[in-house]
Amino acid sequence: MYTGNIPYAIANTEVLYVPDRRIDTFGETRFNYRLVTEPMDEVGVTRVRSGWVESHRPRIVRPVPMDAVEMEGFSPGAAEVVEWLRAHGGSAVFKYGFCFSRSEVLVETVHDDSREVADRVVKEALASGDSYRAVIRGVDDAWEASLLRFMMEMIQQSHEINAFDFRRRGLI
């Protein structure tokens, strides 16, 4: 059972810095993220989680439903987040199978206001020149839900480009 409040986390997640790139139609896409959260039980503390999340291209044809989502490196409760997203308006996203993986997460605890920390992290992202960089403000106890919401947004933003690529190659 997932311990975080999924609806609250989804509603209170905001992408502060959107990557320039979208999910590649025929390849793998790795987004480097910084996820800024405030612990509910600690005043003046901000957590900044860093890592990457990747969307894999299909590797083989497999006898599973097309709407299956595979997740590598996520906690067991992340599947509950995916099911919640599917049931609450994300069903169009799940037309095709996806496989997401994420890296180990580096957690930095900063004793500063979360808005100031988020502003600094966004400035760092701007200066980095990394077209796959994302900065997300999320919910601390349900941070994976915030990360998955970011990925669902990237899928939605990539859909038109991906559909064009499929049509161009005569695949749809």
Side-chain angles (χ1 to χ4, degrees), residues 34-49:
R34 304 279 309 258
L35 180 65
V36 180
T37 63
E38 262 183 290
M40 298 296 275
D41 57 351
E42 297 179 65
V43 177
V45 173
T46 303
R47 287 196 182 104
V48 181
R49 289 175 174 85

Side-chain angles (χ1 to χ4, degrees), residues 60-157:
I60 57 171
V61 176
R62 55 197 168 120
V64 296
M66 284 295 291
D67 64 352
V69 175
E70 292 181 25
M71 306 192 43
E72 298 172 10
F74 286 85
S75 70
E80 188 175 333
V81 176
V82 170
E83 288 309 312
W84 189 93
L85 286 165
R86 183 189 318 264
H88 292 87
S91 60
V93 169
F94 297 102
K95 275 180 157 172
Y96 309 102
F98 283 97
C99 179
F100 296 126
S101 60
R102 75 165 174 83
S103 68
E104 291 295 319
V105 178
L106 174 64
V107 182
E108 178 184 358
T109 301
V110 181
H111 295 278
D112 208 346
D113 178 72
S114 69
R115 293 180 201 275
E116 291 176 18
V117 172
D119 288 344
R120 284 195 303 264
V121 172
V122 168
K123 286 178 185 170
E124 290 170 9
L126 281 164
S128 76
D130 181 354
S131 59
Y132 291 98
R133 174 76 57 101
V135 178
I136 308 154
R137 183 190 331 262
V139 175
D140 194 61
D141 67 341
W143 68 271
E144 278 188 321
S146 296
L147 184 59
L148 287 167
R149 168 151 178 236
F150 160 71
M151 287 305 293
M152 295 304 118
E153 284 184 24
M154 293 310 300
I155 291 168
Q156 290 170 331
Q157 292 175 14

